[in-house]
Amino acid sequence: MNMTFLFTYLHFLGAMSLVACLVVEFCLLSTGALNEAVFKLLKKIDIGYGISAGLMIATGITRMFLEKGSEYYSHNSFFHAAMVLFLGAGLISAYPTVRFIRAKQASDISAADYLKIRRLVGLQLVMIAAVLFCMIAMARGIF
């Protein structure tokens, strides 16, 4: 098996897993009730989100050097847009993650925090959708 094929597969697997984690988080947060079972599940899904993001970063960097080279990407506007959006989504994800880590139980998250987390997860979904658009444009050589 060709290494670029393997890293491309892992990169897309990371992207799909990341989106799946965000969608599930958003759906769980949309129920309006944060009970202990939902809270524990959210914490686990948030870990999956972090692992997926790490997989995307690691395989993306590897692909950049194995495939077209950093020179190709450094001149691509969609690459820069994707990186800014991905970094922004990562920074936004820090708030929900920190709240999930600090909270020992569901009742430790206030109603205001709950709504803020839900909005931030929704914003991340929009940003990641834009990242995926940029990735396709980048792969097609659109500047």
Side-chain angles (χ1 to χ4, degrees):
M1 181 182 341
N2 174 322
M3 288 303 283
T4 58
F5 174 83
L6 177 64
F7 284 109
T8 301
Y9 167 74
L10 291 172
H11 194 63
F12 286 120
L13 181 64
M16 288 183 279
S17 299
L18 185 138
V19 170
C21 288
L22 279 176
V23 167
V24 171
E25 276 190 34
F26 188 76
C27 289
L28 287 173
L29 290 164
S30 296
T31 63
L34 189 59
N35 59 41
E36 288 306 315
V38 170
F39 176 67
K40 286 179 183 179
L41 187 55
L42 279 169
K43 288 178 95 164
K44 288 177 184 175
I45 292 167
D46 200 59
I47 291 168
Y49 174 74
I51 292 168
S52 299
L55 181 62
M56 276 189 71
I57 292 167
T59 56
I61 290 169
T62 304
R63 289 183 68 205
M64 184 170 72
F65 291 105
L66 281 181
E67 294 177 15
K68 297 177 183 171
S70 60
E71 182 68 24
Y72 172 83
Y73 294 101
S74 67
H75 290 82
N76 191 302
S77 303
F78 282 106
F79 173 76
H80 294 287
M83 294 303 99
V84 168
L85 288 162
F86 192 79
L87 178 62
L91 290 172
I92 289 169
S93 77
Y95 183 82
T97 298
V98 168
R99 288 302 297 132
F100 292 149
I101 290 170
R102 286 187 179 165
K104 301 296 182 217
Q105 54 194 17
S107 61
D108 293 340
I109 296 179
S110 69
D113 271 346
Y114 179 83
L115 288 173
K116 185 174 184 177
I117 290 168
R118 182 171 178 255
R119 287 185 188 116
L120 291 174
V121 170
L123 179 58
Q124 288 174 73
L125 269 171
V126 171
M127 293 174 83
I128 294 301
V131 168
L132 297 175
F133 174 85
C134 291
M135 288 171 63
I136 293 167
M138 183 176 52
R140 299 284 181 216
I142 300 170
F143 293 91

